[in-house]
Amino acid sequence: MERKNNYLIQAQQAKERFLTYDQQGLIRKFSLKHDGEYFYMTFLCKPYRLSRTTGDLWRQEGENWQDANTFGEVMTLLDLLCDSRENRWISGRWKNMQAFGMQFHQNLLEEPRDPAAECFDREPERLIRACKRLGAEKIPGGDYGYAVELFDGLKIGILFWHGDEEFLPRLRFLWDENAMMYIRYETMYYAIGLLKARLLEA
């Protein structure tokens, strides 16, 4: 319970930090659609709205707006909005996730068993179908490779390899080499967690 509360505390702190930013500056920075109450944006291929007075987040599902104040959604989207550079730009060149961090972080990306990869190994058509539903484009690499837009033109590359007698099935993630103009290294993990959940959901 204490750990969960710590997540909620961090998410609330991120909202409070967002409220200190120049909102007109954010509108100009991202060409945000807005009204007096909300900012509107597309995040991981779904419509979102962000309260301009509380920092609370909603995701549109069908005709309805649903609460989207999960730790991952709040931390990732507010990081992208508040911390991306004014002079950010997409290079068009992929970089492996491990290459952005320190050596000791690599173990976080090398879990011996990945339930999502095992799911797609059994039913690869689920991965293909999910990527298509997320508007992904094909990229080279792996047995299957796709790129899904996260926000503001920044995409996450997905590479999948089937397992065999020697190796477990693998999912690997790529970012544009300029990704840290958009998002902090730590937040990349939250974004990938959201993407994996969205792939399984889709």
Side-chain angles (χ1 to χ4, degrees):
M1 182 62 70
E2 183 179 351
R3 186 177 183 184
K4 181 178 179 181
N5 287 341
N6 286 338
Y7 287 145
L8 295 176
I9 290 169
Q10 289 183 60
Q12 184 59 38
Q13 289 172 342
K15 293 179 187 181
E16 291 169 0
R17 187 166 66 95
F18 157 73
L19 296 176
T20 68
Y21 277 69
D22 173 12
Q23 295 196 2
Q24 291 303 315
L26 293 176
I27 290 169
R28 291 191 299 271
K29 184 178 178 181
F30 297 101
S31 301
L32 289 176
K33 295 181 180 178
H34 62 282
D35 55 29
E37 295 184 68
Y38 300 106
F39 289 152
Y40 299 90
M41 68 282 292
T42 300
F43 176 62
L44 267 180
C45 305
K46 289 194 176 185
Y48 280 73
R49 70 183 187 188
L50 175 64
S51 171
R52 299 179 64 173
T53 57
T54 67
D56 287 331
L57 195 60
W58 285 268
R59 179 190 338 104
Q60 188 172 18
E61 301 287 355
E63 299 297 319
N64 301 314
W65 290 101
Q66 296 187 2
D67 187 304
N69 290 288
T70 68
F71 176 80
E73 286 168 299
V74 169
M75 297 297 288
T76 305
L77 186 51
L78 293 188
D79 185 17
L80 287 160
L81 283 174
C82 297
D83 291 335
S84 59
R85 299 183 192 176
E86 291 283 354
N87 64 341
R88 66 199 180 281
W89 56 282
I90 298 295
S91 73
R93 294 182 291 273
W94 291 113
K95 186 174 177 180
N96 195 295
M97 177 71 181
Q98 285 101 324
F100 286 94
M102 303 297 289
Q103 182 70 28
F104 63 84
H105 286 129
Q106 293 191 11
N107 289 337
L108 297 175
L109 296 166
E110 297 291 341
E111 298 177 4
R113 304 191 74 89
D114 184 336
E118 291 178 350
C119 171
F120 297 138
D121 191 45
R122 292 190 300 270
E123 301 178 84
E125 66 278 3
R126 291 186 64 182
L127 175 64
I128 298 168
R129 185 166 60 245
C131 286
K132 288 180 178 179
R133 288 180 179 174
L134 292 176
E137 60 185 35
K138 287 187 176 182
I139 60 172
D143 293 322
Y144 302 97
Y146 291 93
V148 175
E149 184 170 2
L150 179 65
F151 179 73
D152 189 41
L154 179 64
K155 296 179 180 179
I156 303 176
I158 306 163
L159 299 182
F160 171 76
W161 288 267
H162 284 292
D164 57 25
E165 294 81 5
E166 295 185 52
F167 298 102
L168 294 170
R170 291 178 293 155
L171 274 173
R172 292 293 178 267
F173 298 95
L174 310 175
W175 293 83
D176 187 89
E177 68 178 9
N178 288 344
M180 292 185 72
M181 292 183 175
Y182 292 75
I183 190 170
R184 290 180 294 174
Y185 173 70
E186 293 80 3
T187 313
M188 290 178 174
Y189 288 97
Y190 308 148
I192 287 174
L194 289 172
L195 175 57
K196 288 173 75 171
R198 193 66 57 82
L199 287 169
L200 291 170
E201 171 192 303

